[in-house]
Amino acid sequence: MDGTTELLGLAREIALTAGELVARRRAEGVEVAASKSSTEDIVTFADRESEALIRSLLAEARPDDGFLGEESGADAGSSGLTWVVDPIDGTVNFLYGIPHYAVSIAVVEGEPEPTTWSALAGVVVNPASGELFTATAGGGAFLGDRRIRVAPPVELSQALVGTGFGYLAEVRTEQAAVVAGLIHRVRDIRRMGTASLDLCAVACGRLNAYYERGLRPWDHAAGALIAAESGASVGGLRGAPASQAFTLAAEPTVAARLEEVLLDLVG
Ligand code: IPD
């Protein structure tokens, strides 16, 4: 077993353990613990518990690696590897009992910064559906045991496009204006509420494309690797890497067609 496969095995085991905890907490009833950047941007007790569990299991198995999590921040390691964790992506879906949320774990090499890191392995699990998406760098993307591929090329008018919105009212207003300029040029728009699963949806052909401005590293670390390993082009605008500034994932010709329109709309 090579090093990356071992890292994936660990990520998978821990994501499944955290997923069981999260599903149990959902069944028991969810409570908001606090709000973050705005009153809409919430954290539940289950987010914190899931991240603490993931962090302690990783610290036990890989004490020299760094950690970057949505709820408890960053810890530099000494190995050159960092685990990038979203303990519950799609927290608002989780709060409302919409069975579309995820535990997302990636391990990256280099500085824990999406524009420069190399993702080695990633896992996204939806505890409500039991779906498990995985990828290793150069090893392909999988849904369970099945290899997955991005959907074949389509004209933009035939593309089903996913997107998401930030939590700040002024950012959402700008994002809604972009959707208003795009919706009549594509098959339709989806806002499913979980960025990591949106990227996995591109990877398995459930969406032709996904884009969003404002993603944090833990929202896309694992999903972007899974999408890229499925054959999607994953990046920002104008050749930039995927980052908080912009993330666009799609089959490469669809990505190019969509980028042209988005560049007009986002300026
Ligand atoms: C959010 C979700 C959502 C996306 C937001 C993210 P969270 O993550 O992924 O789909 O549109 O940009 O912040 O807050 O549920 O972990």
Side-chain angles (χ1 to χ4, degrees):
M1 208 192 284
D2 70 17
T4 307
T5 311
E6 253 175 60
L7 293 170
L8 178 70
L10 180 66
R12 181 193 170 108
E13 190 189 309
I14 295 179
L16 287 171
T17 305
E20 276 168 27
L21 169 75
V22 164
R24 209 161 55 239
R25 292 294 179 256
R26 179 52 253 175
E28 290 163 3
V30 174
E31 265 183 80
V32 173
S35 58
K36 301 190 282 184
S37 63
S38 72
T39 47
E40 292 75 26
D41 185 5
I42 47 112
V43 54
T44 70
F45 288 105
D47 287 82
R48 289 180 178 166
E49 215 184 334
S50 171
E51 184 154 320
L53 173 67
I54 296 168
R55 196 168 184 153
S56 71
L57 291 171
L58 283 171
E60 205 176 293
R62 307 270 317 171
D64 298 333
D65 294 350
F67 182 88
L68 175 64
E70 177 171 20
E71 312 304 343
S72 61
D75 234 353
S78 56
S79 66
L81 302 186
T82 302
W83 295 83
V84 185
V85 170
D86 195 334
I88 303 181
D89 187 25
T91 307
V92 175
N93 285 349
F94 178 70
L95 178 67
Y96 280 76
I98 298 169
H100 192 80
Y101 48 86
V103 175
S104 172
I105 302 182
V107 56
V108 305
E109 194 165 31
E111 289 300 306
E113 155 54 47
T115 55
T116 55
W117 74 33
S118 295
L120 301 179
V123 173
V124 176
V125 62
N126 176 349
S129 69
E131 285 190 324
L132 175 80
F133 295 88
T134 57
T136 50
F142 293 82
L143 167 49
D145 294 335
R146 182 169 63 85
R147 178 95 192 234
I148 49 175
R149 302 283 312 166
V150 69
V154 287
E155 291 302 325
L156 204 50
S157 59
Q158 299 304 303
L160 186 61
V161 179
T163 192
F165 300 104
Y167 288 111
L168 297 175
E170 58 274 24
V171 174
R172 288 175 169 199
T173 305
E174 287 170 21
Q175 289 171 319
V178 172
V179 169
L182 183 64
I183 194 160
H184 59 281
R185 305 182 68 163
V186 297
R187 182 191 292 273
D188 208 345
I189 299 281
R190 293 287 180 271
R191 195 293 192 241
M192 299 193 284
T194 307
S196 57
L197 288 174
D198 290 330
L199 288 158
C200 293
V202 170
C204 68
R206 292 177 188 164
L207 288 174
N208 295 105
Y210 161 75
Y211 76 91
E212 186 164 344
R213 185 187 134 195
L215 290 185
R216 308 304 307 279
W218 40 83
D219 294 319
H220 66 90
L225 177 66
I226 293 165
E229 286 294 327
S230 77
S233 137
V234 182
L237 295 174
R238 301 183 186 88
S243 73
Q244 192 163 358
F246 213 87
T247 299
L248 166 59
E251 182 283 325
T253 51
V254 176
R257 289 172 182 147
L258 180 59
E259 181 177 0
E260 211 180 301
V261 175
L262 287 171
L263 281 172
D264 266 356
L265 294 169
V266 299

